[in-house]
Amino acid sequence: MKLRYAVLCLLLLIACSNRNTPQAVTEDFIYNYYKLANQEAALLLSSGLATEKLEAEIGRLQEVRVPGDPAPEMPKIEYKQLGKETANEVENVTHVLFNYQLIIKNRGGTTTHTRNVVITTEDIDGQWKVVNFDEY
């Protein structure tokens, strides 16, 4: 129930503020996908290849996720932006790429892992969307 309340509050916050920027969409995506492990919420922020990746993951997880079961305890995830690059392509399509570092700690704080994430955003009919994401 807490997760649903948190997602509802996040959606309300998004509705009340201008979150239609490449930076805001990227951070909302990271928050939903990585911090909350909520692929459905991340899906709302995606298009193209990112949508395909998320839909495939949701399909794989349907076998192990049971509706109504409490969510497993999530690790603590912090993130920081390492870089940003704007790339103009053919036909005036602009992509904004972000590079983030995720710091993942178990709840006890004894184990730490880092992952780098590259997220590509694009303005699609006036709405910024995540069109691709990759980890390395």
Side-chain angles (χ1 to χ4, degrees):
M1 191 65 160
K2 287 182 183 180
L3 180 59
R4 289 182 188 167
Y5 181 71
V7 170
L8 181 62
C9 289
L10 176 66
L11 292 175
L12 182 60
L13 178 65
I14 290 169
C16 295
S17 63
N18 181 14
R19 302 296 295 167
N20 188 27
T21 66
Q23 181 85 38
V25 168
T26 298
E27 290 183 2
D28 291 346
F29 182 87
I30 290 171
Y31 180 81
N32 285 295
Y33 184 70
Y34 291 103
K35 285 194 79 139
L36 298 180
N38 186 340
Q39 292 84 2
E40 289 86 5
L43 190 62
L44 298 174
L45 302 166
S46 72
S47 184
L49 185 56
T51 295
E52 292 174 22
K53 289 179 179 182
L54 290 167
E55 287 174 342
E57 185 172 330
I58 290 168
R60 289 189 304 271
L61 291 173
Q62 283 179 341
E63 295 178 16
V64 295
R65 284 191 177 164
V66 178
D69 276 358
E73 188 172 323
M74 297 294 295
K76 181 179 179 185
I77 298 178
E78 299 171 0
Y79 56 91
K80 65 179 177 179
Q81 183 179 333
L82 301 177
K84 173 183 171 182
E85 180 180 330
T86 302
N88 291 319
E89 292 189 1
V90 184
E91 298 179 13
N92 296 322
V93 174
T94 300
H95 290 106
V96 182
L97 291 80
F98 294 91
N99 189 357
Y100 278 83
Q101 181 180 60
L102 303 177
I103 299 104
I104 307 161
K105 298 178 184 180
N106 67 357
R107 284 293 174 189
T110 57
T111 304
T112 302
H113 302 282
T114 58
R115 305 280 298 177
N116 289 330
V117 179
V118 175
I119 297 177
T120 306
T121 60
E122 180 181 326
D123 184 341
I124 299 174
D125 298 326
Q127 185 70 39
W128 283 96
K129 296 282 188 175
V130 171
V131 294
N132 198 7
F133 62 99
D134 252 326
E135 300 173 26
Y136 62 97

